[in-house]
Amino acid sequence: MTRTTAHEPNIGRADRVWQAASQPTRNQEHLMTDSPNRYVEELFDDEAEAPFGMTQVWTPELHRGVMDMIRNAPRPRTPAIEKYLTVMPKFSDHEVIEVAAYWTDHCTDEPPATRPGPSFLANPKPVDLTTKILEYAISAALRLYDRRRAADWYARWRDRRTGRPVKRHSSMYSFFEGGFDNCLECVRDMDELSGGFDRDCAELLRSVRPAADLTEREVALIAWVTAQRHPAIRFLAQHAANRLWYVDLFRRDVFVFSGRAVTPCPIPFTVNPVTIADYVRDASRCDQRVVAWSGKHTYRVAQRYGRHVLIMTSSYYGPSRGQAEMDYAVWLSPATPDEATTLVDDFAASLPATYRKIALWYDPRRGSVMRSYTGEHPIGVWGKHWMSGLGVDRTFGSEQEAIAALEAQELDWLKAGKRLDNFYLRLPNTPT
């Protein structure tokens, strides 16, 4: 992105973006594949595909430049808008709504537009760009609990989807998370945005049931209505205090459900921090660990360093990847080590029924607990050996020495800014 200097002519941001994209210097030509301006140019090129590389370089500043270009571009603007919404990051819901609202106000009278369907299908049908724009818009409006816009865009979408409704959803999760379909349940849900969800939520709260007795679906409804947030994963329950702790759908915030309402996290926290060195700077060891597995592929982990607690969970991503992958890492920082100890104890006591605590380093039946650190090969303990993906990495005099050495290495890596970013179980050929 070009920058305005004191000596630069006072031209519009959109013009600067376009000039930089259309007239690269020789030094820029070899960087074109990574240039944000090149991606902007492709948005307005009728022959170009959606520039998915923009997802990696998207910033609010780049968005403002694109919006300037959309406002000043010749008609029709629908194709460029649809391509832009296709590549925008999911966390940009406010910006998605801005783009969709501009399209609704200024472009809905444009002639119908399509693009070819996916080439991997046997008989691909053209994609209706208006329908796709509305789908992106509705999803963003639902995630932000924007009732007025969600209902308006859904009505427009329904007008274009006149076929037979598909099978009824089995739960409301797809709807709460911004997903929807032309089904009877979604029609009902959208109709009830004006008050139905609020009524159901009020009835749940009047029931005065313990928080731990409410289902995930019921808590999702309460969170959606009272806090306009979407719970994703329940990672900690405090039954004595009647509180459930969640990380939200977008992996940004932690919030707590008290059985009556959703409230902000009562202690300092960070979800997926860029660096974790501050949390372990004064640590001489990991003071407390819990490792739990559900089958082979999913884990829940807690580690405490003084008053700082790391909690990680994972999901299994199918036979295509073949392993667990971390959903998120959240650091919780209560005021004292004793409070942090209580958090870890509560975590261990409230593991889902399908999870079982296992040995911290290796289990003879399940395998070595391989830990993955940024920039390092995964490593684990098996008896008196360190194991890597290639086999035995190092051998020590005893199991206790191997564990102590790996704990020391782990702490050195964390203090140097590396992150613990995944676990998996590996049953190696048993070393001698």
Side-chain angles (χ1 to χ4, degrees):
M1 183 73 69
T2 57
R3 295 183 178 179
T4 304
T5 68
H7 304 290
E8 184 177 354
N10 185 22
I11 60 177
R13 181 185 293 109
D15 295 326
R16 294 198 302 273
V17 171
W18 183 259
Q19 289 172 5
S22 59
Q23 298 176 357
T25 66
R26 287 185 179 180
N27 290 334
Q28 290 172 329
E29 287 176 352
H30 72 286
L31 299 174
M32 285 292 280
T33 54
D34 297 321
S35 167
N37 300 316
R38 182 211 180 196
Y39 298 134
V40 173
E41 180 179 306
E42 290 178 350
L43 290 175
F44 296 87
D45 181 350
D46 293 338
E47 303 298 323
E49 300 288 336
F52 289 101
M54 180 177 281
T55 299
Q56 305 301 319
V57 299
W58 187 94
T59 62
E61 182 182 6
L62 179 61
H63 170 73
R64 291 192 292 272
V66 173
M67 285 304 301
D68 285 344
M69 293 191 66
I70 288 174
R71 294 186 184 99
N72 295 305
R75 294 164 68 92
R77 302 166 194 169
T78 296
I81 288 173
E82 190 272 340
K83 279 200 286 188
Y84 186 42
L85 292 177
T86 298
V87 302
M88 285 183 74
K90 186 176 181 180
F91 57 76
S92 307
D93 288 318
H94 290 285
E95 288 81 4
V96 168
I97 285 182
E98 180 186 4
V99 175
Y102 180 86
W103 177 85
T104 301
D105 293 340
H106 300 284
C107 306
T108 52
D109 61 338
E110 292 182 353
T114 62
R115 59 175 165 82
S119 59
F120 57 82
L121 296 179
N123 297 296
K125 296 181 180 179
V127 176
D128 180 350
L129 302 191
T130 293
T131 298
K132 293 302 294 183
I133 289 173
L134 290 171
E135 289 174 355
Y136 291 123
I138 295 165
S139 295
L142 288 174
R143 288 192 292 266
L144 293 179
Y145 198 65
D146 188 331
R147 301 198 217 190
R148 180 182 62 81
R149 287 194 174 101
D152 173 56
W153 285 327
Y154 189 76
R156 293 171 184 262
W157 184 84
R158 284 280 297 168
D159 286 344
R160 304 184 68 85
R161 304 278 292 192
T162 57
R164 180 179 178 183
V166 297
K167 183 178 179 181
R168 178 184 174 91
H169 290 315
S170 60
S171 75
M172 298 176 73
Y173 271 121
S174 63
F175 187 75
F176 283 137
E177 295 177 5
F180 62 97
D181 209 332
N182 192 20
C183 71
L184 298 177
E185 181 175 339
C186 280
V187 172
R188 175 188 65 80
D189 291 343
M190 287 302 304
D191 289 341
E192 291 193 352
L193 268 177
S194 60
F197 286 154
D198 301 83
R199 182 184 61 249
D200 293 344
C201 174
E203 290 176 0
L204 278 173
L205 294 178
R206 281 196 297 270
S207 70
V208 197
R209 292 156 57 198
D213 290 346
L214 296 177
T215 67
E216 297 277 354
R217 181 181 184 274
E218 290 172 331
V219 176
L221 175 62
I222 293 169
W224 201 56
V225 172
T226 62
Q228 301 181 17
R229 301 310 300 263
H230 306 261
I233 299 174
R234 177 191 313 205
F235 68 86
L236 174 65
Q238 295 174 307
H239 293 278
N242 194 33
R243 297 198 296 189
L244 298 176
W245 298 58
Y246 283 88
V247 171
D248 76 331
L249 179 66
F250 309 113
R251 312 299 196 261
R252 297 179 194 168
D253 279 329
V254 173
F255 54 92
V256 178
F257 176 57
S258 68
R260 297 292 297 171
V262 174
T263 60
C265 183
I267 60 177
F269 71 89
T270 306
V271 181
N272 295 330
V274 175
T275 178
I276 55 87
D278 289 343
Y279 298 104
V280 297
R281 178 175 291 115
D282 299 326
S284 59
R285 53 168 292 173
C286 178
D287 298 299
Q288 203 172 0
R289 296 180 191 263
V290 176
V291 178
W293 237 273
S294 176
K296 179 181 179 181
H297 294 297
T298 51
Y299 58 79
R300 296 199 174 196
V301 172
Q303 296 185 186
R304 180 175 70 83
Y305 299 87
R307 68 181 186 91
H308 303 292
V309 177
L310 166 66
I311 292 178
M312 300 169 56
T313 73
S314 74
S315 295
Y316 176 55
Y317 290 93
S320 61
R321 304 187 198 177
Q323 66 177 27
E325 293 186 15
M326 186 181 72
D327 287 316
Y328 63 84
V330 57
W331 284 87
L332 302 167
S333 301
T336 67
D338 287 345
E339 292 177 33
T341 299
T342 299
L343 279 180
V344 176
D345 291 342
D346 288 338
F347 170 84
S350 61
L351 289 165
T354 58
Y355 283 77
R356 294 290 182 271
K357 288 192 291 184
I358 68 170
L360 300 179
W361 301 100
Y362 73 96
D363 182 285
R365 285 195 309 112
R366 298 179 178 89
S368 176
V369 181
M370 304 296 289
R371 289 162 164 83
S372 176
Y373 305 85
T374 52
E376 303 292 339
H377 294 297
I379 197 164
V381 170
W382 186 262
K384 62 181 181 179
H385 308 281
W386 278 11
M387 304 300 299
S388 71
L390 301 177
V392 175
D393 183 89
R394 290 179 61 184
T395 299
F396 296 83
S398 67
E399 175 183 319
Q400 291 70 28
E401 288 182 28
I403 292 173
L406 186 52
E407 286 195 287
Q409 178 65 81
E410 175 186 62
L411 194 57
D412 287 345
W413 280 338
L414 297 180
K415 288 185 176 183
K418 298 182 185 295
R419 296 188 305 277
L420 179 58
D421 60 13
N422 208 0
F423 283 60
Y424 65 91
L425 284 172
R426 178 172 179 267
L427 190 61
N429 293 328
T430 306
T432 57

